[in-house]
Amino acid sequence: MAATQEEILEGLAEIVNEIAGIPTEDVLLDKSFTDDLDVDSLSMVEVVVAAEERFDVKIPDDDVKNLKTVGDAVDYILKHQG
Amino acid sequence: MTAKIRSSKGAPYARILGVGGYRPTRVVPNEEILKHIDSSDEWIRSRSGISTRHWAGPDETVAQMSVEAGGKAIADAGLTPEQIGAVIVSTVSHFKQTPAVATEIAHLLGTKKPAAFDISAGCAGFGYGLALAKGMVTDGTAEHVLIIGVERLSDLTDLEDRATAFLFGDGAGAVVVGPSKEPAIGPVVWGSEGDKSDTISQTLPWDVYRERSSEEVRFPALRQEGQAVFRWAVYEMAKVAQQALDEAGITADELDAFIPHQANLRIIDSMIKTLKLPEHVTVARDVETTGNTSAASIPLAMERLLATGQAKSGDTALVIGFGAGLVYAATVVTLP
């Protein structure tokens, strides 16, 4: 069954916590990965690959650069999940 | 009629007999890179792990650096130059295409008319050369093969590109492959993905200068799509590395050392995580003080691990090269 927006946010928060060490409660929809969460361009790739596995979704390299905020990523996954 | 043709008779197996390296004398710290780009030492180190790299001076040519590294590898193997039957040079930064620089290097080393040729396989060049050399030794076409990875990537660096200006270094690394009674070089897992050829490439072909002057067009440089390269290197290359272990019949627990192409410390650290390498495996992190030297990086890192005692002769090491093409080559070897 497809994940809800809330479940995706929760899952992303766990992934960002594991990769960048940011507390899960700080991972909110309006936060910018690079400016607020210390997720640089390379860590972002790790976040994306972990999210692909967790939510059964493909996020091509060309789309990764458009995912500026946590909300962008949640929306993308919501729309494209298998 | 079909006449009976005699074939050559090679050694049962091949091994790396010796290794040698040459690092240019000039050490370039991040501070010097920062003269041309808006960045910081902290940013460069956090994105790449690199604090210094070596850049070649006018006399440290591709041929000269190769002769230094090659000579050391031959001596380390306990051989003399006359015993080298083939010289394979992998480089993307020798700017005279013809003749192959391998022939000049073979001559300067004092060898006796060996087969000598260049190959172009980017950062996988060392692995490609190793696979060829192993085949030549076991086929009997050459008893001892000298493989050299050599680059002057500072010549192909855009000093004003903040994504790559800090990345590249110069140097030469070499090994000699020769006969062995036991298997000491595993099956190579190699390949290419030409559909991703734009991911890492030279900005312009040389013939652009036929139409336009060097005032109009900037000298070519290397450029890459950082995120795409990172994803491919970490996740796809981890699968290739695992396949090389499987084909050699080696488990990660049996490994002593991991010597990946020294592209970027972040790639290396993520690969270790993805591969789930055990703690006891020594990991080459030569990139920190050498930068990315493409085809030269694996033999240079191998030489440093052995010279510093972090690895020793007889240890089992996984080597993997990957880069522009895209191309890759991985294998398990016994260290010389």
Side-chain angles (χ1 to χ4, degrees):
Chain A
M1 205 177 80
T4 63
Q5 190 200 44
E6 206 174 308
E7 287 166 342
I8 294 168
L9 178 61
E10 199 183 315
L12 269 182
E14 283 169 18
I15 289 167
V16 170
N17 172 261
E18 197 189 313
I19 288 163
I22 302 294
T24 50
E25 59 270 25
D26 291 354
V27 182
L28 302 167
L29 291 176
D30 63 340
K31 297 285 184 188
S32 154
F33 285 109
T34 44
D35 300 337
D36 302 321
L37 301 176
D38 205 24
V39 175
D40 68 22
S41 64
L42 301 184
S43 296
M44 189 62 196
V45 176
E46 296 181 289
V47 169
V48 161
V49 172
E52 285 187 335
E53 280 176 21
R54 185 161 182 152
F55 301 111
D56 187 22
V57 61
K58 281 267 161 263
I59 312 177
D61 293 316
D62 284 344
D63 291 342
V64 174
K65 45 182 89 65
N66 300 326
L67 308 180
K68 305 278 187 219
T69 66
V70 174
D72 294 339
V74 170
D75 290 345
Y76 190 95
I77 293 165
L78 207 52
K79 210 160 117 191
H80 294 87
Q81 62 185 337
Chain B
M1 68 173 208
T2 306
K4 194 173 176 189
I5 297 171
R6 193 160 56 205
S7 182
S8 56
K9 193 171 182 311
Y13 304 104
R15 72 186 308 124
I16 300 176
L17 298 171
V19 61
Y22 179 80
R23 291 176 168 80
T25 47
R26 191 161 91 84
V27 175
V28 178
N30 287 344
E31 289 71 34
E32 191 175 331
I33 306 290
L34 294 171
K35 286 179 193 162
H36 310 279
I37 52 169
D38 177 22
S39 189
S40 70
D41 177 49
E42 195 274 331
W43 191 94
I44 293 173
R45 282 196 279 173
S46 74
R47 294 316 191 278
S48 68
I50 299 168
S51 55
T52 58
R53 72 287 289 145
H54 298 256
W55 280 359
D59 296 335
E60 291 167 316
T61 62
V62 163
Q64 275 308 330
M65 293 194 291
S66 298
V67 169
E68 292 287 335
K72 284 184 200 167
I74 293 167
D76 190 47
L79 299 170
T80 58
E82 299 82 29
Q83 292 172 276
I84 297 298
V87 177
I88 303 172
V89 175
S90 180
T91 184
V92 298
S93 47
H94 176 61
F95 293 150
K96 192 174 174 185
Q97 284 167 281
T98 304
V101 72
T103 60
E104 182 187 350
I105 293 164
H107 170 68
L108 292 172
L109 277 167
T111 56
K112 288 266 194 290
K113 300 183 182 178
F117 57 97
D118 298 351
I119 58 173
S120 175
C123 305
F126 176 74
Y128 271 56
L130 192 60
L132 293 174
K134 178 190 173 190
M136 291 159 88
V137 169
T138 53
D139 180 65
T141 45
E143 192 179 2
H144 299 106
V145 181
L146 175 65
I147 307 149
I148 301 169
V150 55
E151 301 293 358
R152 278 180 60 114
L153 295 184
S154 59
D155 291 336
L156 285 171
T157 297
D158 179 351
L159 293 176
E160 290 168 10
D161 176 14
R162 69 189 299 275
T164 59
F166 56 87
L167 214 47
F168 302 116
D170 303 338
V175 300
V176 174
V177 172
S180 172
K181 292 193 179 84
E182 305 287 332
I185 302 174
V188 66
V189 177
W190 61 354
S192 66
E193 297 181 40
D195 57 321
K196 301 187 181 73
S197 60
D198 287 344
T199 323
I200 311 170
S201 67
Q202 182 175 314
T203 46
L204 294 164
W206 300 114
D207 60 6
V208 71
Y209 295 118
R210 226 186 251 156
E211 310 284 329
R212 300 166 73 180
S213 74
S214 56
E215 283 82 40
E216 286 178 276
V217 184
R218 195 183 186 125
F219 196 76
L222 296 173
R223 52 152 289 285
Q224 62 175 9
E225 293 169 23
Q227 285 185 318
V229 172
F230 183 83
R231 189 200 293 227
W232 177 77
V234 172
Y235 300 98
E236 298 308 311
M237 291 305 100
K239 292 177 204 163
V240 169
Q242 185 59 51
Q243 201 185 333
L245 284 176
D246 294 345
E247 292 200 14
I250 297 284
T251 66
D253 279 336
E254 293 175 285
L255 274 184
D256 298 301
F258 177 47
I259 314 177
H261 164 50
Q262 302 289 297
N264 179 321
L265 197 61
R266 293 282 294 277
I267 291 177
I268 295 170
D269 286 340
S270 292
M271 272 181 118
I272 299 164
K273 242 180 5 184
T274 310
L275 269 171
K276 298 188 174 65
L277 280 190
E279 291 264 328
H280 76 264
V281 177
T282 298
V283 177
R285 291 190 167 86
D286 193 37
V287 67
E288 292 172 324
T289 53
T290 305
N292 176 344
T293 56
S294 190
S297 86
I298 292 175
L300 276 173
M302 185 184 290
E303 184 242 18
R304 183 150 279 175
L305 283 187
L306 290 165
T308 56
Q310 292 171 272
K312 58 183 192 309
S313 175
D315 277 358
T316 305
L318 170 63
V319 299
I320 178 165
F322 46 86
L326 298 172
V327 288
Y328 56 87
T331 189
V332 178
V333 300
T334 305
L335 292 179

